[in-house]
Structure formats: structure tokens, C-alpha cells
Amino acid sequence: MTIPFLDLKSLNAQYRQDLIDAAVHVIDSGWYIQGTELKAFESEFSEYCGTKHCIGVANGLDALTLTLRAWKELGKLKEGDEIIVTANTYIASILAITENRLKPVLVEPDEQTYNLCPTKTADAITSKTKAIMAVHLYGQLAPMPELMALSDQHGLLVLEDSAQAHGAAINGKKAGSWGHASGFSFYPGKNLGALGDAGAVTTSDDELASTIRALGNYGSHKKYENLYQGVNSRLDEIQAALLRVKLKHLNAETRRRKEIAVAYVSRITNTALSHPIPATSTVELLENHVFHLYVIRSAERDILQAYLNNAGVQTLIHYPIPPHKQQAYAEWNARGYLQTETIHQQVLSLPISPLMTNEQVDTVIDACNRFELG
């Protein structure tokens, strides 16, 4: 029997009755937009992250886009300003920047973590640089102490893309509380996933929070009074209620993900594969990684994927094509980011669902260790 990459049906089935009860409560309330469930979730998630505010929005892309838009409305950004972002991120990070007519400045990532490299980030700063988008790729926090030091030194805004890093922390300080703001996705496959599209912004900036909340509600602070040319991007009551149920279990699911990661890094010894963390790491050293994905690399990635599939292990590629090679950004297609392109050609994500049994983990490990280069 094939080990699925992620079995969402079974994952949510654990909490089936609680999810049904939450949905029924909303249905019976007769209040479906901007009600008590949203307020409760926003309060609980801001407390979880360690921020003053959480603003529910329709999805993770909107969380990033609306934050940048709010900074423009507040006069902190203007069209053409440069935003530094890692070149190997998912395209949503880039879309939020260009949607606001800001200029993405792509930098090569740290080869071990796949996140922003402080040295390369510093080298990319110019007089036009106004912000850094720190993407916590695959569930690992970017080097936030170093990036915030750059922010302080150069007077830059920092926006965390925390779509994959719910609960990741450095020295106890969680994703979403490091930068001036952070965008979260609650897409169903995320570590904290809704049963549909959903997202949120976290920040401790009162003015920013108020502006984002208005922008996502047609530009309105008060019904029928519109301060901005806003959009409709709101986290609905049912999704907020379901997220409240699942937030209670996030820490336990994260602990299981870390247990599996430790097993992978310590017991997959095949030198044809490389790990996303050093083999000497322990659970205590993994605080900054919540393993939304466990991403290995191999020069024979496609052959390895076919081999694992035949061995009953489903894998996925995150992501096969980097943003600068997408048709959507055809003007960038001739650019060369060698390290980014190599990463996209070599990465392969192993199953790391919190529902995996020890026997399934053993199967994945054994299959990886049996793989031989052709």
C-alpha cells in the first residue's frame, strides 16, 4: 500500500465531531461574516504568535498583498520601491510584490536552509530598498535576528512570509512576531489548515492593523464609509471556527513532525541524498523548523522520485520551476540564478504527516537507503 504524501481526509477525521460541532454552531448562529468566531480566532492566533493583532483575510497571498498595500497607503512604500526576497520562493511571495507595483529584488538563498542569506541580503541593499520579505520556506525560520539587525541599520520594513511556518521559533520568539508584519496561509495542506482558503496577517502595529482590516473590507472602517479603494478579503466565520478547533492540536502535530524529521535525518544515511538539517541536530536544536515539508536533494531527483513511487512512497516536488523562469515573469526568463535553479532541479519532499505510523516512517527510511545512483 502506498504511503500518501499527505492524507487530509484522515488528518481532519481525527477532529471530525469537533469540526462538525463548530460548523453547526456557526450555521445556527445566523451570522456568517465578521462575527464572534473570527474575533475569537484572531485573539487566539495573535496570542499564539505573540503579537498584538491578527487580521483574518481570505488567503495567504492576500495577507502579503494587503500588508504591502497598507504600507503604501500609510506612505511607507511607493511604487517602484525595491523589496528583497529570496529567488527560490513560491511564486505567491513575488506576486504580492508586483501586484503592488513594487520591484522584487531576487537574491540567491542560503544553500543549507533555502532561506535568505544575511550576507547576500546586505549586498543587495541599495538606496531604493525599502523592505525585506523574509520567507520561512518549508517551515524553517529565516535568520530573523540578523535580518532585523539589517532592518534597524538601514531603516527597512520586514514582512515575514510565514505561510509554511506556523509555530516555528528562535529563542522562543515565533514566526509572525519577528518582523513589522507577517502573512499566514491556512490553505488545507498547511500545518494549520482550514477546510478551504483562509489567511491572516499578524502585527503589533496598531495603525497598520487598522489599515489592513479596512483594506480587506472594501476600504471601510465603518459601514458605508470608505477610506480606501479596498477589496473584499475576509476570513469567514465557518473557517475561523474550524481553525479554532485545529489550533488546539497544532503543537502536538508539530511535535510529531519533528519526531519524524529526527528519524529521517539520523537514519537516512544514503550519501546520494542530502538533508535539510545537519545530521547532528536534535529536537532541541529544531526549534526554528516545524517541518511543513521535509525536503531532501538529489542530483538524480527524477529517478529517485520514480524509485520511491515504485517502493510505495508518494513524494512531491516543491517547486519544479522557480519564479524567474515562469511565463508570468517572462521578462526575467533570461536571468541566471544558478543556485536557485539547481535547488529547483534537485529538491524532493518526503511524506511527513503527523499521522504517519512508525512503520510507515521505517518504510520511507528503508526505501531512501536502498536507492542507488544509476
Side-chain angles (χ1 to χ4, degrees):
M1 182 178 293
T2 298
I3 299 171
F5 182 79
L6 182 63
D7 182 354
L8 283 177
K9 181 178 179 180
S10 296
L11 196 65
N12 287 317
Q14 303 173 98
Y15 319 121
R16 185 176 187 274
Q17 192 57 54
D18 287 343
L19 292 170
I20 290 172
D21 291 345
V24 169
H25 174 75
V26 174
I27 293 167
D28 289 347
S29 75
W31 194 291
Y32 308 124
I33 298 290
Q34 294 186 310
T36 58
E37 290 296 326
L38 175 61
K39 289 179 181 178
F41 173 73
E42 289 177 335
S43 176
E44 290 161 5
F45 193 66
S46 62
E47 181 179 0
Y48 179 83
C49 293
T51 60
K52 189 174 180 181
H53 301 283
C54 169
I55 307 97
V57 297
N59 53 68
L61 174 57
D62 281 4
L64 299 175
T65 303
L66 288 171
T67 302
L68 293 172
R69 167 76 186 282
W71 277 332
K72 288 178 67 180
E73 294 289 351
L74 293 170
K76 296 184 178 182
L77 293 175
K78 64 180 185 304
E79 289 186 13
D81 283 345
E82 294 180 352
I83 314 294
I84 292 174
V85 62
T86 184
N88 63 309
T89 185
Y90 181 58
I91 199 169
S93 309
I94 313 295
L95 291 171
I97 297 172
T98 57
E99 176 66 19
N100 280 286
R101 298 184 181 179
L102 301 165
K103 181 181 179 181
V105 175
L106 307 183
V107 298
E108 292 272 49
D110 178 278
E111 191 169 6
Q112 178 68 49
T113 67
Y114 310 117
N115 284 328
L116 277 173
C117 166
T119 301
K120 293 173 184 176
T121 300
D123 290 344
I125 294 173
T126 71
S127 60
K128 295 181 179 180
T129 306
K130 300 302 177 185
I132 298 170
M133 183 180 288
V135 183
H136 307 318
L137 200 62
Y138 306 145
Q140 183 170 17
L141 273 184
M144 295 310 298
E146 294 86 349
L147 294 177
M148 294 311 297
L150 286 175
S151 165
D152 293 341
Q153 180 182 352
H154 297 278
L156 305 176
L157 297 166
V158 175
L159 174 57
E160 297 175 69
D161 182 343
S162 301
Q164 301 182 0
H166 314 73
I170 296 175
N171 297 326
K173 188 175 176 65
K174 288 182 180 175
S177 67
W178 279 94
H180 300 99
S182 178
F184 283 89
S185 169
F186 305 121
Y187 182 78
K190 303 298 185 185
N191 288 23
L192 178 60
L195 274 69
D197 274 321
V201 177
T202 57
T203 184
S204 292
D205 183 325
D206 295 344
E207 187 178 34
L208 179 64
S210 177
T211 305
I212 292 170
R213 194 175 294 282
L215 284 170
N217 187 37
Y218 300 95
S220 175
H221 280 277
K222 183 178 179 182
K223 195 169 185 178
Y224 303 128
E225 295 182 14
N226 303 80
L227 297 177
Y228 312 106
Q229 296 177 24
V231 298
N232 178 6
S233 180
R234 301 179 298 205
L235 176 58
D236 69 69
E237 281 288 282
I238 283 185
Q239 293 302 339
L242 301 180
L243 285 166
R244 292 186 67 200
V245 171
K246 297 188 71 177
L247 180 59
K248 297 173 185 177
H249 304 280
L250 178 57
N251 287 342
E253 291 191 358
T254 299
R255 284 194 296 271
R256 179 54 179 162
R257 288 177 181 273
K258 291 187 178 188
E259 289 174 358
I260 298 169
V262 170
Y264 283 169
V265 75
S266 61
R267 293 172 51 204
I268 297 176
T269 57
N270 191 336
T271 56
L273 318 176
S274 63
H275 291 275
I277 54 174
T280 54
S281 294
T282 64
V283 173
E284 290 75 19
L285 295 176
L286 301 179
E287 182 192 22
N288 69 339
H289 206 320
V290 293
F291 294 98
H292 171 59
L293 301 171
Y294 192 94
V295 181
I296 60 174
R297 286 175 62 180
S298 173
E300 301 284 351
R301 189 266 308 282
D302 294 342
I303 297 174
L304 171 61
Q305 184 175 38
Y307 172 85
L308 290 175
N309 184 63
N310 289 334
V313 177
Q314 184 185 31
T315 61
L316 294 179
I317 298 172
H318 297 89
Y319 303 96
I321 305 173
H324 72 279
K325 293 297 185 182
Q326 298 284 356
Q327 181 59 38
Y329 293 106
E331 67 274 21
W332 298 348
N333 288 174
R335 293 186 187 181
Y337 297 95
L338 180 59
Q339 186 172 319
T340 290
E341 291 163 22
T342 300
I343 288 170
H344 282 261
Q345 291 164 5
Q346 295 184 350
V347 291
L348 187 66
S349 300
L350 299 179
I352 193 166
S353 165
L355 284 186
M356 289 179 70
T357 65
N358 290 337
E359 291 74 18
Q360 288 176 319
V361 173
D362 291 342
T363 297
V364 174
I365 292 169
D366 291 343
C368 287
N369 284 333
R370 288 197 305 269
F371 175 71
E372 296 182 1
L373 289 175

